[in-house]
Amino acid sequence: MELTETLIDGAIDSITGFMVARAAKQYHEPITKMMERFLLSNTYKLLSDKDTGLYWDSLSETYAMLINEIEGRS
């Protein structure tokens, strides 16, 4: 399987949806509010920067990164 721009974009979109839905549930926030928080996060900035390869990393590690950011931990 060739790693194309379309495939990477799809992975980023899918990961974004997963992260937002899971965090919204965990923090009892509306999806729309959590989506806004996520899109403004450093985690999303790294995820959407294709050079970082974060879209290829473990979902649980990426989610932990997001939670640490939400909770103000480094």
Side-chain angles (χ1 to χ4, degrees):
M1 175 172 65
E2 183 179 340
L3 199 57
T4 65
E5 290 293 315
T6 302
L7 185 61
I8 294 169
D9 289 339
I12 292 169
D13 289 346
S14 294
I15 293 166
T16 296
F18 171 80
M19 297 288 166
V20 168
R22 186 170 175 190
K25 183 176 181 180
Q26 180 173 337
Y27 290 96
H28 308 287
E29 288 189 7
I31 292 278
T32 53
K33 183 176 179 184
M34 187 55 71
M35 177 63 83
E36 184 176 326
R37 288 179 75 177
F38 184 69
L39 293 177
L40 295 173
S41 72
N42 189 58
T43 303
Y44 179 71
K45 180 181 177 183
L46 292 171
L47 177 63
S48 61
D49 179 350
K50 295 173 186 169
D51 291 334
T52 68
L54 188 59
Y55 57 84
W56 194 255
D57 288 352
S58 161
L59 280 176
S60 60
E61 289 179 24
T62 304
Y63 187 72
M65 180 188 305
L66 174 62
I67 296 309
N68 287 335
E69 187 173 351
I70 288 172
E71 295 183 359
R73 294 181 261 157
S74 304

